[in-house]
Amino acid sequence: MTTRHGQLEMRGINAPQSRFHEQGRFGRLFPNLPPLPGNLEHLRAAMREIGKDDGLMEPKTTPENLDNPAIPAGFTFFGQFVDHDITFDPTSSLEQQADPEAIQNFRTPLLELDSVYGAGPAANPHLYDSRPNMRGKLLIDEDFPHDLPRNSQGIALIGDPRNDENNIVSQIQHAFLMFHNAAIDFVAADGQTPPSEIFNEAQRLVRWHYQWIVVHEFLPLICGQSVVEDVLENGRCFYNWRNDPFIPVEFAVAAYRFGHTQVRPGYRLNAGFAGPIFAEPGSSVDLSGGKRLPVERKIEFHRFFDTGTGPATERQQSKRIDTLLSPPLFRLPFIPPPDNSLAGRNLLRHLTFNLPSGQAVARAMSVGKAYKKIKLKDVEPLPPSAFKDLKNIGTGLNLDQHTPLWFYILREADKRADGKSLGPMGGRIVAEVFIGLLDGDRLSYRRADPQWKPIFGTNSGEFKMADLLKFAKLV
């Protein structure tokens, strides 16, 4: 059974304080910044107040008025898929329970698709087609070719069970299975690769094309083109490590949780089926995974990505990146109240991990830095007036001047990027971490062959999610 958002208890009270934590793969970008100031019990009460059901983070308007015209809805779930690739613990990306001190055995923080490949054909043969004429291909059930392969009880046979959490991320996982198998056919057909090396070459090509999408399509959409260009051209300022890359808690607990605000209350998968993200009271219809996907729910990908196929009017957009979450996320159906608000749980985790305020991080990022593509004033702290809705919450906390980092990053996106992307500060954290993970991986295209260009795209040297879906013959 797939673990749903937040079913495990919140952990992490022993979060590492050093930048270069030696246990596990978590660390800090700003280890010297103090945690959010204030009495702990008052802070906890304030976090619950901010994130409560029908509170200030729940929209009072219809979802259609909250659309983000810049980011198609598919990238909400592509972002979830990427998250599962770089972090692993037995919970959902919408409700990470990562305890940096306690967890020793989790996903390597690299963009290497081990969520797809597992540990490879020898160690995880159940993920692969064992027939001689299909050597090196990932398993696809011929009776249900539109779905993930499953065992007799409907459990998906994939490298990361979280990628069967909902119908949309499971179909993205399926797309990558199909993409790899198409790459096997491509490599085998060229006649230049020895049979014993066909799998390795196809895997390399799949990984590099995927990394290209992350750097050249996903990050510009999420972080803003100018921020990504600044990191690519002028290097990283904040995300550095001693021996190996780590996942910063400022990224995992705050900056990369922007995706929660992108989630719509429901989605249309195809012309014949639409459903809510969670089942409505009295109904069993929702988009949850963990079971065989009926063919009636097969995704029409033009509804989630700009594929150039199907009417553009049918494409669904993500929600704006701001401090408003879809109503169902305040009433998670698998967690008993009063702690079933995803917003509230995110804010409480800020305290659990002793994160600094957003203003403290902004000041640290704006002092002595020479950005080339963004203006220094855009990274400086937002004024207290930008958080006037927080001013009177809590006793003596001054949250308008000491704002939880997650909330601050969402408000920065709203005020400085009109909700179309992260703001300069939040975008810089996300861009530096992803590009830094690739720079720390000797097998990534950025390390192994910095001049490499994609070969599968319709346009020479370009490759986007639409190209992946076309190469996999899914659109």
Side-chain angles (χ1 to χ4, degrees):
M1 180 177 179
T2 303
T3 302
R4 301 294 296 275
H5 314 323
Q7 281 183 285
L8 299 186
E9 73 279 3
M10 289 191 284
R11 302 179 294 168
I13 50 178
N14 294 319
Q17 296 300 314
S18 66
R19 179 190 296 269
F20 308 113
H21 185 59
E22 298 294 346
Q23 301 296 322
R25 291 191 172 91
F26 281 80
R28 293 182 184 269
L29 294 177
F30 305 100
N32 297 321
L33 294 182
L36 203 65
N39 175 276
L40 185 57
E41 289 305 312
H42 291 170
L43 284 167
R44 286 174 178 160
M47 297 306 103
R48 289 190 172 97
E49 176 68 20
I50 295 169
K52 71 179 182 179
D53 181 14
D54 201 29
L56 65 89
M57 296 190 73
E58 185 167 348
K60 305 301 188 288
T61 184
T62 59
E64 290 73 16
N65 295 333
L66 302 174
D67 278 356
N68 180 354
I71 306 179
F75 284 103
T76 303
F77 299 91
F78 179 81
Q80 184 181 20
F81 176 87
V82 173
D83 175 39
H84 295 171
D85 188 27
I86 61 175
T87 64
F88 180 77
D89 65 73
T91 66
S92 155
S93 71
L94 286 183
E95 183 54 34
Q96 293 284 333
Q97 312 286 338
D99 179 342
E101 294 282 0
I103 293 178
Q104 299 295 319
N105 180 23
F106 52 86
R107 182 77 67 224
T108 54
L110 301 173
L111 291 157
E112 59 186 2
L113 290 177
D114 47 1
S115 57
V116 171
Y117 292 111
N124 293 142
H126 63 286
L127 303 181
Y128 296 83
D129 198 320
S130 62
R131 292 174 293 179
N133 65 323
M134 302 293 282
R135 189 74 65 192
K137 289 191 174 183
L138 290 157
L139 183 63
I140 297 290
D141 190 334
E142 291 185 345
D143 293 329
F144 303 95
H146 66 285
D147 191 15
L148 298 173
R150 299 179 184 274
N151 66 15
S152 60
Q153 297 183 345
I155 305 301
L157 302 175
I158 54 178
D160 189 326
R162 297 173 297 170
N163 284 353
D164 190 30
E165 181 181 276
N166 60 66
N167 292 165
I168 304 170
V169 76
S170 76
Q171 291 280 277
I172 291 176
Q173 172 84 13
H174 177 264
F176 274 86
L177 304 184
M178 298 293 288
F179 181 45
H180 168 82
N181 290 351
I184 288 279
D185 291 336
F186 176 89
V187 174
D190 74 4
Q192 303 298 312
T193 304
S196 62
E197 292 297 317
I198 287 176
F199 172 81
N200 290 335
E201 176 62 11
Q203 183 186 57
R204 180 186 68 82
L205 287 171
V206 168
R207 283 173 168 167
W208 285 12
H209 281 80
Y210 158 66
Q211 292 167 1
W212 186 273
I213 289 175
V214 170
V215 173
H216 294 281
E217 184 176 24
F218 180 62
L219 289 185
L221 286 173
I222 296 304
C223 305
Q225 185 67 45
S226 61
V227 172
V228 177
E229 287 181 359
D230 193 74
V231 177
L232 289 174
E233 296 175 15
N234 303 299
R236 291 172 277 113
C237 296
F238 309 101
Y239 179 48
N240 299 291
W241 57 88
R242 180 179 298 155
N243 297 313
D244 297 304
F246 62 89
I247 298 296
V249 291
E250 298 93 338
F251 168 87
V253 180
Y256 201 61
R257 289 175 181 255
F258 70 86
H260 298 173
T261 75
Q262 294 183 300
V263 177
R264 302 177 65 87
Y267 297 86
R268 176 164 293 281
L269 302 186
N270 54 54
F273 180 81
I277 196 74
F278 303 131
E280 302 288 346
S283 171
S284 61
V285 176
D286 63 13
L287 300 179
S288 62
K291 53 187 177 293
R292 177 68 65 191
L293 183 76
V295 69
E296 293 80 12
R297 294 197 185 189
K298 179 181 178 182
I299 278 185
E300 294 175 340
F301 276 108
H302 75 272
R303 297 178 183 271
F304 290 86
F305 297 98
D306 183 6
T307 63
T309 61
T313 54
E314 293 180 351
R315 186 165 61 250
Q316 297 158 103
Q317 300 301 118
S318 66
K319 282 178 65 272
R320 296 176 79 254
I321 302 176
D322 55 23
T323 56
L324 300 176
L325 277 67
S326 289
L329 300 184
F330 293 89
R331 297 176 283 278
L332 300 177
F334 30 80
I335 299 176
D339 291 323
N340 59 338
S341 163
L342 182 58
R345 294 176 74 84
N346 282 346
L347 290 163
L348 287 171
R349 185 159 288 104
H350 187 287
L351 306 180
T352 301
F353 282 84
N354 295 317
L355 289 185
S357 70
Q359 288 87 347
V361 172
R363 283 191 291 270
M365 293 181 67
S366 63
V367 175
K369 302 301 177 186
Y371 302 108
K372 303 297 184 183
K373 298 285 185 177
I374 58 177
K375 297 178 181 178
L376 188 61
K377 66 180 181 64
D378 290 338
V379 186
E380 293 174 347
L382 290 164
S385 59
F387 303 98
K388 58 185 178 181
D389 49 347
L390 302 183
K391 183 175 182 179
N392 297 319
I393 293 179
T395 303
L397 296 179
N398 298 319
L399 294 178
D400 59 331
Q401 301 173 52
H402 305 285
T403 307
L405 183 58
W406 177 62
F407 190 99
Y408 181 99
I409 286 171
L410 299 182
R411 184 58 55 83
E412 183 206 31
D414 184 19
K415 296 296 184 181
R416 289 181 169 165
D418 193 28
K420 294 178 181 178
S421 70
L422 290 169
M425 188 193 86
R428 182 88 192 189
I429 292 173
V430 172
E432 285 206 14
V433 169
F434 275 113
I435 293 169
L437 290 177
L438 291 176
D439 291 344
D441 177 9
R442 63 183 179 82
L443 298 180
S444 74
Y445 83 87
R446 279 182 58 82
R447 279 282 296 277
D449 189 358
Q451 303 305 312
W452 177 82
K453 299 290 185 182
I455 62 174
F456 291 155
T458 52
N459 297 316
S460 177
E462 295 183 13
F463 192 76
K464 295 185 175 182
M465 193 62 190
D467 296 304
L468 184 151
L469 296 167
K470 292 172 183 175
F471 190 82
K473 297 181 173 58
L474 292 173
V475 296

